[in-house]
Amino acid sequence: MFRGLAFALALLGTPALAGLEDADIAILSFDDLDGWDHDDHQEALTVFLDTCRDLDEPQWRPICALAAQQEDGKTFFELFFRPVLIRDGNDPLFTAYYEPEIRGSRTESIRYRYPVYRKPPELNAGEAWLPRRDIEEAGVLRGRGLEIAWVEDPVELQFLQIQGSGRIRLAEGGTIRLGYGGSNGHSFLSLGNELVRQGVYEPHQVSQQVIQNWVKRNPEAGHELLMTNPSYVFFRRIGKVAPQKGPLGAMNRSITAHRSVAIDPKYTPLGAPVWLEKKGDEPFNRLMVAQDTGSRVKGAQRADIFWGTGERAGRLAGQIRDDGRMVVLLPIQRAFAILPEE
């Protein structure tokens, strides 16, 4: 079944992941993974193949070549990978994100008056630029032809920026699909946390809809609330992704609802399969693929689950903040290479 097995195993030697010197690392067996036998491994293999071709490191190439030939996903993962539990001392936290779809227009009007900008040419990656207040109040980007579209709600626009991708449903008909185009380099500050700090709401009461309604009821204070987050995200138009496909992740490939996760690449390699045991109100144990990253996703046991597109996905994603365990599946020799020396 697995042609070229000896050749594949000969190429699996690899340096360890950098930056894991202080991590607690343990190699598990597949029997240690709760619910492993009951997942749809073939579905996970299909998602894995979406980005496997983009992994150029030597230990991935033979595995990806063999993966494309397999009809038994479970056997494939068990033969070529080992489950590795990596912990950094912080509590596990699993949240979810989504692809927003908001109303907008190609042209500015009284209704559609909040611009969605592409990145200005003077903004350099890794450097802090103007904060949100300067961009929105001073209008430093207006009249420069950087507008992709205009939308009707500033809260929706800020949540679009938080998610980093989305779709604009146009008043003229059709949609514009957006991908992450860069940021102004300022740290993100949560609008919900600010409302809690001000004593307006308790933590369990805050959601996107609650924030949106509060800003509409309190326009002046609402504007000031929006300005408390100095982070600002720019977008680019995405033109080659089929409507039924998910947005582009950090590997520039479409991600898949309930099978793709954003991770911290310091601990988990992009493209690697990960076994997620999520607790909470809707627990699940599932083989997923690390196909995205995020500025809020930091830590060995931290993951953001892609929940889908649109309002319902956003509502459900906002409710997820759960404990659990994440185990990364690494090629066999790489798994043993990252173990600390005795």
Side-chain angles (χ1 to χ4, degrees), residues 265-283:
K266 175 182 176 181
Y267 298 97
T268 303
L270 270 171
V274 294
W275 178 254
L276 195 64
E277 298 173 1
K278 188 189 83 67
K279 297 181 180 179
D281 292 338
E282 294 186 16

Side-chain angles (χ1 to χ4, degrees), residues 92-285:
L93 175 60
F94 304 123
T95 53
Y97 68 113
Y98 71 108
E99 182 187 31
E101 186 176 66
I102 64 178
R103 292 180 293 274
S105 173
R106 297 183 190 276
T107 58
E108 184 178 14
S109 66
I110 294 176
R111 179 176 180 180
Y112 301 108
R113 55 196 177 95
Y114 299 99
V116 178
Y117 286 120
R118 61 177 57 88
K119 186 179 74 171
E122 66 268 28
L123 191 156
N124 297 315
E127 295 181 6
W129 197 59
L130 299 173
R132 176 178 297 274
R133 189 179 294 274
D134 287 358
I135 295 171
E136 295 199 354
E137 290 187 349
V140 295
L141 299 181
R142 281 196 170 270
R144 297 181 52 186
L146 296 172
E147 297 89 351
I148 297 174
W150 284 261
V151 298
E152 65 176 350
D153 189 289
V155 179
E156 286 186 337
L157 175 56
Q158 209 173 125
F159 274 89
L160 181 73
Q161 293 178 355
I162 292 169
Q163 301 302 320
S165 64
R167 309 185 197 200
I168 299 176
R169 190 167 63 253
L170 297 169
E172 302 90 340
T175 60
I176 293 175
R177 199 155 196 179
L178 303 171
Y180 178 82
S183 80
N184 64 348
H186 289 264
S187 297
F188 165 79
L189 295 179
S190 166
L191 302 180
N193 288 349
E194 178 61 19
L195 285 174
V196 171
R197 189 192 69 80
Q198 294 179 17
V200 178
Y201 292 109
E202 295 295 325
H204 70 276
Q205 296 175 308
V206 177
S207 68
Q208 179 178 341
Q209 190 62 55
V210 167
I211 296 170
Q212 196 169 6
N213 292 338
W214 189 85
V215 170
K216 287 180 179 178
R217 293 195 308 269
N218 306 274
E220 292 186 8
H223 174 77
E224 285 302 310
L225 173 69
L226 297 177
M227 294 303 105
T228 62
N229 175 24
S231 174
Y232 197 94
V233 169
F234 302 95
F235 294 96
R236 58 191 175 96
R237 290 193 62 165
I238 304 296
K240 296 183 179 180
V241 178
Q244 69 274 19
K245 289 276 192 176
L248 300 182
M251 302 184 74
N252 207 34
R253 302 288 180 185
S254 288
I255 57 179
T256 303
H258 310 294
R259 286 289 177 182
S260 297
V261 289
I263 47 75
D264 185 345
K266 175 182 176 181
Y267 298 97
T268 303
L270 270 171
V274 294
W275 178 254
L276 195 64
E277 298 173 1
K278 188 189 83 67
K279 297 181 180 179
D281 292 338
E282 294 186 16
F284 65 73
N285 303 323

